[in-house]
Amino acid sequence: MTATSGSGGRPDRGTADREIVISRAIGAPRHLVFEAFTEVRHLSQWWGPDGFTTTTRSFEFRAGGVWAFVMHGPDGTDYQEWITFIEIVPPERIALVHGESGDDPNAFTSVLTFAPEGARTRVVMRTVFPTAELREEAVAKYHAVEGGEQTLSNLASYVTALAAGADPDQDAAAEAAPDGNTANGNTTDGSTSKGAQD
């Protein structure tokens, strides 16, 4: 069974039992939505489900390039993450392999597409797991559907603010709290959290 969220994403018959498709229309131009994937300074503001932070170890946005990072869960759990970009077609498509390391046998493939819808951009994230069992584990244990929806919601909030002329980095700095956290979840060490504060 394929989890499809939003409209615009359709499961592939050949991989339907191994895939998750999540789609969202975002109120920002396609080039800006795409750009939010191209640099750590953007990704650190929105990547991941609510309450997670990211620490980037290395990042090279090109075909064959790697993004090595740690996702810090709201419960204090650290998740080692490794993304290899396999195809980049600005501003239309990004294909990647995502696992815990570069040689993870359980790594999954994701293809993100960016399509204009008037003044909005339709982002479709199609993820295919090596087996149906790994897909089911991702859904049941790691809440992959909800996490994907939250990630695209965080992306939408971030780029919508950029499109409106706001500077999310500057706004965050202005709202810094004494504990180093800010009202939107950014921390002074460069990591970020979305949707949850301690």
Side-chain angles (χ1 to χ4, degrees), residues 25-30 33 115-122 163:
I26 296 175
R30 179 167 73 161
V33 177
E117 285 187 355
R120 298 161 61 94
T121 301
R122 170 70 56 186

Side-chain angles (χ1 to χ4, degrees), residues 176-182 186-189:
D179 63 2
N181 288 329
T182 61
N186 298 319
T187 60
T188 55
D189 68 356

Side-chain angles (χ1 to χ4, degrees), residues 95-115:
L96 55 90
V97 176
H98 188 160
E100 293 179 1
S101 65
D103 59 356
D104 183 353
N106 297 327
F108 53 86
T109 302
S110 290
V111 176
L112 295 105
T113 56
F114 306 82

